[in-house]
Amino acid sequence: MLHNNVEIFMNLKKISRRELLKKSISSLPFLALPNFSFSQSSFDVVVIGAGASGLSATAELLSKGKSVLCVEAMNRIGGRCHTDNSIFGVPYDMGAHWLHNYSGNQIAKYGKKHKDEFNIYRDPDNALVFDGQKKVTGFKLYNLYKKLEEYKYNGVKDVPFMSLIPQRIKKNEWFDTAHQLLGACNPGVDFNEYTLADDHLNYKNIGAGDGFVKEGYGTLLAHYRKGVPVKLNTLVKEIQWDGKGVKVETNQGTISAKVCVVTVSTGVLSSDKIKFKPALPLEKYEAFDGISLCTYNHITLKLREEFYKTFKIKPDVYFSPRIITKTPSPKGYCGTLRLHKSNLSYFDVGGQFAKDLEAEGTKASIDFVINSLRSTFGSEFDNYLIKAHATRWGQNQYTTGSYSSAKPGKAHLRKVLKSPVGDRIFFAGEATSINFATVHGADLSGKRVVKDVIKIARI
Ligand SMILES: Cc1cc2nc3c(=O)[nH]c(=O)nc-3n(C[C@H](O)[C@H](O)[C@H](O)COP(=O)(O)OP(=O)(O)OC[C@H]3O[C@@H](n4cnc5c(N)ncnc54)[C@H](O)[C@@H]3O)c2cc1C
């Protein structure tokens, strides 16, 4: 998710116009718990999910001397923050890779303290803008950005953002590109599905800028939470809360506890993959649906060194070719080239277009990017291609999408989402955070939920 597009362009302007013209081991030792009989055990808390929020809640509960069992459906920890090292032979973040709110991001601070193991640095904020095959300054795009950003400060209307934008702006030749960068590749939804009220009501900025970690965000998260015990391959199917405490039904048996902390995505919750018995109050289901999960995917190419040399591409540079699609969901990507000086480049897609592309399959996703790159760099572009990969977060049954975004008219439901039920079912996860849609936000939500558990359930 590219949060700070505007900042990038603003920084470029601040730095110098001439510059702009020129520029135009996830296998760390967390504790996988061995098999044991759940029926013989009762816990203070069961934490469901071992993504950033579940790991954080578990660590916090353990530090307070509580007995806790964290269960995870997948055969790995990290959830939507996962680094793969095998596909390209270098760290490849399949989910999160920007350290958002960099100056205040607690996980970035942890990484900086471990500088022998992690190379953490601020996003250099370079941008490369193309109009057809021509490199351009990016000022037209930047100016349009500024206009669109001004709406953010014009009051809180919980309506589709698209309905607030006048026709003259929609006719701007850079509109589809700005829409793609500020909508599909930011909150992960198109302007028709995006409401400014979500930011106004629910979001607090805790730091400036973005950062990167060369070893991968998933690897950093696993290190940050090393030693946190997790029971993997344990799929929660049902949570019973009609008697005392909770009984959590899993594919490995039933777990009894005084309370449970649910950290799965709103997509998993709204698809009813986890049943609650008795059913939760109706407003909770409205919240699961209203704080919906967007689709945002990386389509990643490994390119020959000559490509970067030939086109003089600096590391970590943002790449925006002008797109003209005139469709409700812009058909384009937000590119980040030569990540961490490697020969990987990410081309990220979001919104309805990303959903459609994902449904068409991996080949269609990769072909889309390659075709687009041919139109910028010429048909010889194919000679630079070594390997390609596309993520499909919508197809992952344990996430069913990428990160949360309130539907227009539903921004108030984030509060409902995070409120506990019956003093024993608590909710955490990125969607409940003041820095929603982020890893560090999910991490903070784990800490927040433990405070709630102790205060409300008095365990
Ligand atoms: C492509 C992509 C790019 C992103 N980019 C960024 C970025 O650059 N920066 C950033 O900060 N954030 C980014 N995000 C968002 C970030 O990854 C998430 O906000 C964050 O990782 C969510 O953590 P979480 O703990 O709330 O949820 P998850 O990571 O989803 O953790 C929940 C866990 O619950 C498990 N689970 C689900 N169902 C069950 C069940 N029935 N039983 C047991 N376990 C279950 C899941 O397997 C999962 O491990 C991105 C996400 C994606 C997908």
Side-chain angles (χ1 to χ4, degrees):
M1 173 190 50
L2 183 60
H3 255 312
N4 287 306
N5 296 311
V6 172
E7 205 173 314
I8 293 158
F9 287 102
M10 287 171 115
N11 284 346
L12 284 172
K13 203 175 182 192
K14 266 187 269 161
I15 296 165
S16 104
R17 282 169 187 252
R18 248 183 311 144
E19 266 298 290
L20 181 67
L21 282 164
K22 270 195 246 153
K23 280 170 186 157
S24 268
I25 350 183
S26 299
S27 57
L28 277 158
F30 75 96
L31 286 177
L33 292 175
N35 285 332
F36 65 94
S37 165
F38 293 145
S39 57
Q40 288 165 15
S41 318
S42 183
F43 298 87
D44 289 329
V45 186
V46 182
V47 174
I48 301 169
S53 55
L55 292 169
S56 161
T58 306
E60 196 72 5
L61 285 159
L62 289 172
S63 76
K64 297 197 179 314
K66 310 297 173 197
S67 66
V68 48
L69 179 64
C70 177
V71 292
E72 165 58 49
M74 290 199 256
N75 62 359
R76 62 163 179 82
I77 60 162
R80 286 170 271 168
C81 183
H82 172 64
T83 308
D84 174 275
N85 290 291
S86 62
I87 296 172
F88 293 112
V90 291
Y92 168 36
D93 274 320
M94 303 192 66
H97 79 289
W98 276 286
L99 302 159
H100 290 311
N101 295 135
Y102 184 58
S103 63
N105 182 319
Q106 69 282 7
I107 306 174
K109 286 180 188 165
Y110 172 87
K112 280 189 226 160
K113 273 195 201 146
H114 292 80
K115 54 176 180 288
D116 291 345
E117 281 147 289
F118 293 102
N119 183 347
I120 311 261
Y121 57 101
R122 197 180 167 125
D123 179 344
D125 284 353
N126 288 330
L128 191 58
V129 183
F130 270 76
D131 192 353
Q133 296 202 341
K134 204 170 132 215
K135 207 191 272 190
V136 294
T137 64
F139 282 124
K140 286 183 182 169
L141 180 58
Y142 163 72
N143 288 334
L144 180 60
Y145 250 103
K146 271 203 312 187
K147 280 190 192 133
L148 288 168
E149 273 282 301
E150 277 162 19
Y151 288 93
K152 288 206 168 186
Y153 308 100
N154 281 347
V156 187
K157 282 192 185 155
D158 199 357
V159 296
F161 183 43
M162 194 61 123
S163 67
L164 301 176
I165 304 171
Q167 276 306 324
R168 68 186 153 75
I169 292 189
K170 288 181 192 161
K171 283 186 185 151
N172 186 302
E173 57 178 337
W174 286 90
F175 180 73
D176 285 337
T177 315
H179 181 183
Q180 204 277 324
L181 292 170
L182 209 56
C185 274
N186 201 324
V189 288
D190 307 317
F191 285 168
N192 272 326
E193 301 293 326
Y194 172 50
T195 167
L196 297 176
D198 201 16
D199 292 23
H200 277 282
L201 292 178
N202 302 316
Y203 191 76
K204 272 200 195 110
N205 204 340
I206 63 155
D210 289 320
F212 286 122
V213 49
K214 190 172 179 181
E215 294 72 18
Y217 208 165
T219 302
L220 175 61
L221 178 70
H223 196 283
Y224 178 60
R225 290 304 177 199
K226 63 181 181 292
V228 173
V230 175
K231 183 85 180 81
L232 298 175
N233 303 310
T234 307
L235 176 71
V236 172
K237 298 174 172 180
E238 189 171 284
I239 299 170
Q240 296 158 12
W241 59 288
D242 44 356
K244 223 177 155 211
V246 290
K247 286 206 185 316
V248 177
E249 296 284 347
T250 78
N251 60 339
Q252 311 244 18
T254 305
I255 311 161
S256 301
K258 291 176 187 154
V259 306
C260 71
V261 170
V262 180
T263 74
V264 302
S265 73
T266 52
V268 169
L269 288 168
S270 66
S271 62
D272 213 24
K273 288 180 192 294
I274 299 177
K275 304 251 182 289
F276 292 89
K277 280 206 175 152
L280 300 175
L282 199 58
E283 59 171 10
K284 286 303 270 194
Y285 295 98
E286 281 168 6
F288 299 159
D289 181 61
I291 309 301
S292 68
L293 214 62
C294 79
T295 302
Y296 178 85
N297 278 314
H298 302 310
I299 301 165
T300 304
L301 306 187
K302 182 174 183 177
L303 300 170
R304 292 187 199 292
E305 197 53 39
E306 296 82 68
F307 170 74
Y308 301 110
K309 278 192 186 142
T310 306
F311 294 97
K312 298 188 177 62
I313 290 166
K314 292 185 176 172
D316 307 308
V317 69
Y318 292 107
F319 168 59
S320 282
R322 180 161 83 95
I323 56 168
I324 312 158
T325 68
K326 308 264 182 231
T327 44
S329 185
K331 298 181 180 187
Y333 50 71
C334 105
T336 317
L337 308 182
R338 216 178 155 196
L339 257 287
H340 322 308
K341 295 190 185 150
S342 76
N343 49 5
L344 293 193
S345 290
Y346 290 19
F347 302 90
D348 298 350
V349 289
Q352 185 58 44
F353 172 60
K355 278 190 189 155
D356 296 345
L357 211 48
E358 191 180 279
E360 277 185 62
T362 304
K363 186 176 178 307
S365 302
I366 293 169
D367 284 351
F368 165 74
V369 168
I370 292 173
N371 276 330
S372 164
L373 290 167
R374 278 183 200 133
S375 66
T376 309
F377 298 106
S379 55
E380 64 274 25
F381 175 78
D382 294 40
N383 300 331
Y384 299 116
L385 183 64
I386 300 173
K387 195 172 183 182
H389 181 268
T391 61
R392 301 180 79 192
W393 284 98
Q395 307 294 314
N396 181 327
Q397 58 174 316
Y398 305 125
T399 58
T400 76
S402 304
Y403 46 84
S404 66
S405 179
K407 289 180 182 169
K410 307 289 180 187
H412 61 285
L413 290 175
R414 283 208 195 258
K415 280 207 178 84
V416 175
L417 181 70
K418 77 172 172 197
S419 61
V421 176
D423 294 351
R424 70 193 102 152
I425 305 177
F426 290 80
F427 292 85
E430 59 87 8
T432 70
S433 167
I434 53 163
N435 299 114
F436 49 85
T438 62
V439 176
H440 69 284
D443 178 66
L444 291 174
S445 81
K447 292 201 172 98
R448 184 268 307 155
V449 83
V450 171
K451 273 193 193 151
D452 291 352
V453 165
I454 289 169
K455 191 170 149 203
I456 297 167
R458 295 177 189 281
I459 58 156

